[in-house]
Amino acid sequence: MLESLRNYSLEALETWFQEHNIPKFRAKQVFDWISKGVTAFDEMNNVPADLKNQLKEHFFINNMMISDVMTSSDGTRKYLMTLNDGNIIECVLMRYKHGNSICVSSQVGCKMGCSFCASTLYGLERNLDAGEIIGQVMTVSRDIQERISNIVLMGSGEPLDNYHEVLKFMRLVNHPKGMNIGMRNITLSTCGLIPKIEALMEEKLQITLAVSLHAAEDEVRDALMPVNKSYAIRPLLEVCKRYAEVTGRRVTFEYALIAGKNDQRTEAERLAILLRNIHCHVNLIPINPVVERSFKASDQAQAKQFQNILKQHGIEATIRRELGSDIDAACGQLRNKHINRASK
Ligand code: SAH
């Protein structure tokens, strides 16, 4: 079976080239081309034809096809991409003054079952491999002909449920001779798989860990996020505290504000007490209503009140500016539309 070239690090390629008696510098040339996002061997114009043929016998370039792009009035671009096996994923490009940021998917679908999230409606289809995750960055960068400087693993899927490939992806995209995106410019968002957070902590990467909390009481979180029945709030926060201490990196907590469910004054106060001794930052996100779900976003005044209470307790909190809400940019929304269309 052919192997996906986009899954190969420079070091792994060099080993392969050495084993096949090909000069080492050729591996660097090929890695360069792959990092530039080429979609065919024939684009590698400094690689001799017989070497290209030899490579084609062992490798393929795991392209993804852009099957739809939607551009928001604020410049946000949402991409629907078709993978080799016909599966569809989505990723979102956000344009900021400080550079281009991309939100990538780590799985096709998701099995975590969060009640407000569109990605999980049809369950988990499969994991993406590292090459398919970096492929999203390459494809978008090529499409806009610009460098991507920030990555958030906040698209469809639970990154820590695909631990090995996600880690491989972060190392690949960070490689100084590859796309060279700094670890500090990568954010990994998780619903809170404690053993995997502990494993990640040992890697001591300089990435930002974002944890989807969304509630300050187990009863409320149980109802929103089934994962809470295995990994409840207190032990989760305990590991987050250790994570910040061990890595020296501030943890981000994501808190989606849902009108009447988790946005009251008492919830804000409870949250402030829970987070008291953690080096953290809270990102408040008025929930993005999903057609299939019945939640309503908290209004601005309620969000502001929630933020102020946290601040009064010395906890840094920001209300996330909504980007791309006119193009269904929340996780899984575009893909679901496509699936629904296809099944009609
Ligand atoms: N599985 C990971 C990452 C994917 S979702 C995680 O759970 O963190 C990225 C973020 O978007 C998470 O905080 C998730 O809870 C949130 N999210 C999902 N659906 C949303 C919606 N409809 N409105 C607002 N935030 C949502």
Side-chain angles (χ1 to χ4, degrees), residues 67 76 85 90 103 111 113 133 158-159 176 183 189 194 198 209-210 246 250 271 281 297 299 301 305 325 330 342 344:
S67 33
T76 301
D85 63 358
E90 48 185 72
C103 173
K111 67 173 184 215
I133 309 175
E158 167 49 46
M183 284 289 183
S189 178
I194 292 179
E198 284 172 329
L209 177 70
V246 169
R250 189 175 74 164
L271 182 63
H281 171 262
D299 61 30
Q305 172 187 278
S325 54
K344 266 176 198 156

Side-chain angles (χ1 to χ4, degrees), residues 103-104 106-107 110 112 114 116-119 153-160 188-192 210-214 225 254-257 285-290 293 295 320 330-331 333:
C103 173
V104 294
S106 55
Q107 298 180 314
C110 182
M112 295 299 148
C114 298
F116 47 83
C117 180
S119 302
L153 280 147
M154 289 191 186
S156 294
E158 167 49 46
L160 295 186
L188 184 154
S189 178
T190 177
C191 63
V211 175
S212 302
L213 202 56
H214 304 328
M225 305 176 70
E254 292 159 278
Y255 197 103
L257 291 165
I285 315 149
I287 200 150
N288 214 322
V290 175
R293 311 291 202 196
F295 298 120
R320 192 191 285 170
C331 312
Q333 293 190 8

